[in-house]
Amino acid sequence: MSTFPTPRRRARLALAAAVTVAAALTGPVSYATSASAPEAKPAPGAPGLGDPMFPLDGNGGYRVDRYLLDFDWQAPRTPFEATATIKATATQSLSRFNLDFGGNTLHAVTVDGKAAGTSRAGDELAVTPKSPLAEGRSFTVKVTYTADPTQVRHRDDAIEDYGWIPTPDGTVVYPQPNGARLIFPANDHPSQRAPITFRITTPKDLTAVANGKLVGKSARPGDRVRWTYDSEQPLSTQLVQLAVGRFTLDERTGPGGLPIRDVVPDALVEPTAKYRKLTADHLTWLQEKLGPYPFNRYGILVGDTDLGVALETQTLSLVPKADLLGTQVDAERNLVHELTHQWFGDSVALKGWSDLWVSEGHARFYERQYSQEHGGASFEEAMKAAYKAHDQWRKDFGAPAEPTEPNLFKRMRYDGSALVLYALREQVGDATFQKIERAWVTEYRGKAASTQDYVDLASRVAGQDLEGFLKPWLYGAKTPPMPGHPDWVVDPAT
């Protein structure tokens, strides 16, 4: 996510520990089995994964293999009928399991075609199948509900509003950090990835778009059209995009024949064309640094909203119209930022929310580097300014890898985290740093990875133990000296 131009852990860990203990009391996450071992007794799956930021996000006891989402879209701000079909595999013997699901009106839940018991508390939907599910068994959950496209939640950080975001003739969605549950029932944590099939029915004068590839378009009764999209690759729920409106689809090819599809409100096609056409150049620049683009296609969804937040929704980045109607330097900063996320945060997913610094720090790092090379401000001066403020940011927002939930998307996760990468480059040299970066996006492509994974990989690639260098930068209360810049000074925190 880009926030330009907008700019402790203990309590969360305690809460996460409490969730983990509760999960242990209700049932283990998995059971060892053998020919001679007795069959595990069915038990409830954990109601959350215990993430320090959001302990109840995600669910234990199963993995999602695919989502199939059917939406019968009617009109802006108008409730509509929806069905989510979830194909999953039990990772323990399950007596019941949870889905993250907020707000929408629930009608019915079935498991393998049989009515299931349900209960709701907050964003937790507990599902009790007619018969327990054995460990290793594949099963299908079908949830029918009325979706409410007016559901919006708010955060007092860079996210602002999230969930369903209305546009003049339809909607876009901002699922980050955990707003996907307002769209469909899910295993809503960034470490949990699955492919998605979208089937969105609209009036014939509207267009529906989603992550991935359009695989079908068919007429439906009542002058309606069904649009079917396949995400092609697994994605985290925070990276889902689904939009409806009067759109023009601007399709072309980028480097190596990569399909590029921009989705643009009709009235904004020409005003935004100049900056959108730069995507091919941005792809070329980033591929020279990071290696091949990790997905099958890319494009920009121009958001006809007043929100000033761009979002790295997988293969179809959401960019507010204001970002594309200003100066080229500002537009390219945001465009490169969201494209960088396709490698960092999308292809290599977050193992936990405290790993957000890896995603946002890299997006800001390459955004600022590109901008300096293309008429923008000095990268070094931006990092010097961030260094000056770093102790204050540590006090106000938590260290880069030690955020608190209210401060998750504050300045420290952006320029403050890019500064950590800048320091690492100064420590190991540019050639070694580039090897670390390419190794990271190659070895963890299509996987979730953690801060410790990054520290370990950097140490291995650099041929030196970097834990003693990186841990103070990532977790310390005070900002360490900047390698190669003994004159840089940190202002004392107040």
Side-chain angles (χ1 to χ4, degrees):
M1 183 192 75
S2 173
T3 60
F4 181 76
T6 51
R8 234 317 100 82
R9 194 180 186 195
R10 293 186 182 89
R12 292 283 163 185
L13 287 173
L15 183 55
V19 171
T20 303
V21 170
L25 291 174
T26 57
V29 172
S30 63
Y31 295 89
T33 59
S34 69
S36 60
E39 185 176 347
K41 182 179 179 180
L49 296 179
D51 190 297
M53 301 301 105
F54 306 99
L56 288 175
D57 283 11
N59 303 285
Y62 67 93
R63 71 168 184 271
V64 174
D65 299 316
R66 178 173 284 273
Y67 297 97
L68 295 95
L69 306 179
D70 287 277
F71 292 153
D72 193 20
W73 175 269
Q74 298 298 315
R77 302 177 181 273
T78 302
F80 61 89
E81 296 313 301
T83 301
T85 303
I86 303 167
K87 297 182 179 295
T89 301
T91 57
Q92 68 170 72
S93 183
L94 281 172
S95 60
R96 72 168 184 264
F97 57 90
N98 281 32
L99 294 167
D100 300 308
F101 188 49
N104 299 283
T105 302
L106 179 67
H107 297 317
V109 179
T110 63
V111 177
D112 291 335
K114 298 178 181 179
T118 61
S119 63
R120 299 185 74 174
D123 286 346
E124 295 296 318
L125 169 61
V127 178
T128 303
K130 189 175 182 64
S131 301
L133 303 169
E135 180 181 357
R137 174 180 165 181
S138 297
F139 62 99
T140 300
V141 185
K142 186 175 182 180
V143 182
T144 56
Y145 61 103
T146 299
D148 179 2
T150 67
Q151 285 201 105
V152 178
R153 293 180 180 177
H154 182 78
R155 289 180 58 87
D156 291 327
D157 57 15
I159 290 292
E160 300 177 12
D161 294 337
Y162 64 104
W164 294 97
I165 304 298
T167 61
D169 47 30
T171 190
V172 296
V173 297
Y174 280 79
Q176 198 177 70
N178 55 6
R181 66 196 59 189
L182 304 179
I183 316 302
F184 62 99
N187 198 1
D188 195 10
H189 185 268
S191 66
Q192 305 300 299
R193 301 150 63 98
I196 302 178
T197 300
F198 304 84
R199 294 188 289 237
I200 310 157
T201 302
T202 69
K204 67 178 182 179
D205 62 336
L206 297 180
T207 299
V209 296
N211 309 84
K213 181 180 181 180
L214 177 65
V215 295
K217 178 183 175 183
S218 59
R220 305 294 291 173
D223 284 335
R224 294 172 66 75
V225 177
R226 173 181 283 176
W227 309 79
T228 302
Y229 290 85
D230 186 341
S231 69
E232 300 183 285
Q233 288 128 319
L235 70 164
S236 303
T237 49
Q238 63 138 343
L239 302 174
V240 166
Q241 185 52 257
L242 180 155
V244 176
R246 290 185 173 87
F247 295 133
T248 295
L249 304 184
D250 182 0
E251 298 181 291
R252 55 199 187 278
T253 56
L258 181 77
I260 296 177
R261 172 197 59 165
D262 289 344
V263 180
V264 193
D266 292 344
L268 294 171
V269 173
E270 290 304 318
T272 63
K274 178 182 176 182
Y275 300 156
R276 289 189 293 104
K277 298 300 184 186
L278 297 171
T279 294
D281 295 338
H282 300 157
L283 280 161
T284 298
W285 188 85
L286 281 167
Q287 288 185 129
E288 288 173 354
K289 298 186 177 302
L290 301 173
Y293 174 73
F295 299 112
N296 296 340
R297 63 199 69 251
Y298 186 64
I300 300 300
L301 168 61
V302 179
D304 192 3
T305 77
D306 293 329
L307 285 181
V309 180
L311 193 62
E312 63 272 20
T313 42
Q314 189 165 303
T315 71
L316 184 62
S317 292
L318 175 58
V319 180
K321 61 184 177 181
D323 289 356
L324 299 169
L325 299 174
T327 70
Q328 182 165 332
V329 166
D330 291 352
E332 289 199 271
R333 280 190 59 180
N334 278 323
L335 291 168
V336 171
H337 185 108
E338 304 311 332
L339 180 54
T340 302
H341 271 306
Q342 304 301 310
W343 281 268
F344 297 96
D346 291 21
S347 177
V348 183
L350 309 178
K351 190 164 282 187
W353 278 113
S354 60
D355 306 313
L356 182 64
W357 79 272
V358 181
S359 174
E360 295 297 350
H362 276 99
R364 184 55 54 89
F365 182 92
Y366 288 104
E367 161 207 328
R368 284 202 175 277
Q369 188 174 347
Y370 179 93
S371 186
Q372 175 183 267
E373 294 177 16
H374 294 81
S378 164
F379 184 21
E380 182 172 309
E381 287 304 310
M383 293 296 94
K384 185 176 181 180
Y387 187 78
K388 184 180 177 71
H390 223 244
D391 273 6
Q392 188 66 54
W393 292 349
R394 286 173 188 267
K395 179 181 177 182
D396 293 342
F397 310 137
E402 199 170 36
T404 58
E405 186 273 328
N407 298 315
L408 184 56
F409 291 91
K410 291 288 180 72
R411 289 288 298 278
M412 182 56 94
R413 252 51 67 191
Y414 298 91
D415 280 304
S417 297
L419 185 71
V420 177
L421 300 170
Y422 184 89
L424 175 61
R425 190 181 69 172
E426 296 296 288
Q427 177 74 5
V428 302
D430 186 61
T432 298
F433 180 76
Q434 289 186 39
K435 291 178 181 178
I436 291 170
E437 297 291 271
R438 280 181 172 256
W440 177 255
V441 298
T442 300
E443 294 189 22
Y444 286 102
R445 179 172 177 166
K447 303 174 184 176
S450 69
T451 297
Q452 188 62 52
D453 290 330
Y454 187 83
V455 173
D456 292 344
L457 179 139
S459 297
R460 174 167 53 81
V461 173
Q464 58 180 291
D465 186 356
L466 290 168
E467 185 150 340
F469 174 78
L470 283 170
K471 287 298 180 72
W473 276 98
L474 292 168
Y475 297 103
K478 295 290 184 181
T479 305
M482 176 59 71
H485 296 278
D487 58 317
W488 285 18
V489 176
V490 184
D491 284 347
T494 58

